[in-house]
Amino acid sequence: MTGRIAEICSQMTPAPVMADVGCDHGYMAKYALENGLCGRVYITDIHAGSLEKAKTLLKSEVEAGRCIPVLCDGLDGVKEPCGLVLIAGLGGEEIVKILSRVPLPARFVLQPMKSSDKLRAYLVERGAKILRDYTFEDRKFYDLIVGEGQGGDSYSDFEIKYGRDNLRTPSAAFCKFLEKEKGKLRARLTRREMRRESRDEMRAKLYELEVITDAIEATL
């Protein structure tokens, strides 16, 4: 199990029925079953090849009826409510599309590969309660958003952009992410050939990251 998968699994909580959307190899669904986190899990994927890999890994669970493979887009083929929905490895906008077609689940664990800000904004607008929202590292940096479908929440513009836990209780991974992003921007700003608008945008972004870094350092 990779560090990324282990981190995602650490945020899963028990539910009678679970869905692993975009299951790929099926490692997280297998973890849920082996650790008694659910009695039944749906594994879904839009790609037949990926679903077959998961079915192979979970062959005995599929035969026992504890794992139900569904070739579909998101949750479209899942015919019963799932108390826990896991969606990892898709873009934030794609996750929004998936969730917009169904009632929000009682509990969700989401790991967007990009556009985390758009996903956060959608969840808050939809009335979700966000419990964890942070960045972790496993060779690359990933955002993890955990919450409940009801309860409501409020986010500042900066929290939408960077993640609430990252700003309130920043981890070493998020601080490292900030330093890498600032380094990239400084390197790009040394280029001579660049439109003025692009240079101004990068300077504004660098300033924003410096402000966040200073705020974090002031609390340490």
Side-chain angles (χ1 to χ4, degrees):
M1 182 182 290
T2 66
R4 169 179 167 264
I5 291 175
E7 184 67 30
I8 296 169
C9 288
S10 74
Q11 296 301 319
M12 293 161 55
T13 52
V17 183
M18 170 191 162
D20 181 359
V21 176
C23 61
D24 196 24
H25 289 80
Y27 295 132
M28 289 178 280
K30 187 173 181 63
Y31 175 92
L33 288 169
E34 289 181 344
N35 288 275
L37 294 177
C38 64
R40 184 165 65 257
V41 59
Y42 285 85
I43 53 172
T44 84
D45 207 291
I46 198 170
H47 301 293
S50 294
L51 191 62
E52 284 300 320
K53 287 186 290 186
K55 286 168 64 177
T56 299
L57 179 71
L58 293 156
K59 184 176 184 293
S60 61
E61 289 86 350
V62 171
E63 292 174 348
R66 299 179 64 218
C67 178
I68 305 168
V70 185
L71 182 64
C72 68
D73 185 359
L75 290 159
D76 292 353
V78 178
K79 302 305 182 183
E80 64 178 315
C82 296
L84 173 65
V85 171
L86 165 67
I87 310 177
L90 302 180
E93 290 179 288
E94 184 60 31
I95 296 175
V96 168
K97 290 178 183 177
I98 290 169
L99 294 178
S100 66
R101 299 195 296 268
V102 297
L104 284 180
R107 178 95 174 190
F108 54 80
V109 177
L110 311 174
Q111 188 268 292
M113 299 300 286
K114 59 181 181 178
S115 302
S116 298
D117 55 338
K118 294 179 180 178
L119 178 56
R120 293 185 188 106
Y122 170 79
L123 291 169
V124 171
E125 182 182 353
R126 188 92 186 267
K129 177 69 176 177
I130 298 177
L131 305 174
R132 297 292 310 277
D133 181 4
Y134 64 98
T135 298
F136 68 94
E137 182 183 12
D138 180 27
R139 291 180 290 183
K140 297 194 296 184
F141 296 100
Y142 302 96
D143 289 331
L144 193 58
I145 303 171
V146 182
E148 298 172 348
Q150 295 182 351
D153 219 328
S154 60
Y155 260 50
S156 69
D157 290 344
F158 261 39
E159 287 169 344
I160 288 287
K161 200 168 186 179
Y162 294 103
R164 186 163 60 194
D165 290 351
N166 287 332
L167 299 180
R168 296 189 181 185
T169 54
S171 65
F174 181 64
C175 293
K176 186 176 178 181
F177 166 78
L178 288 176
E179 292 305 314
K180 286 204 168 186
E181 290 300 302
K182 289 188 293 183
K184 291 178 186 176
L185 288 168
R186 291 188 186 109
R188 291 173 66 187
L189 284 168
T190 61
R191 299 174 185 172
R192 294 183 179 180
E193 295 182 4
M194 185 185 301
R195 292 188 302 110
R196 179 177 177 179
E197 294 82 358
S198 298
R199 190 176 296 277
D200 289 345
E201 287 176 5
M202 279 190 279
R203 283 174 175 160
K205 177 71 171 180
L206 180 58
Y207 175 76
E208 185 173 279
L209 297 180
E210 292 285 8
V211 168
I212 293 173
T213 301
D214 290 345
I216 290 173
E217 292 176 349
T219 63
L220 297 179

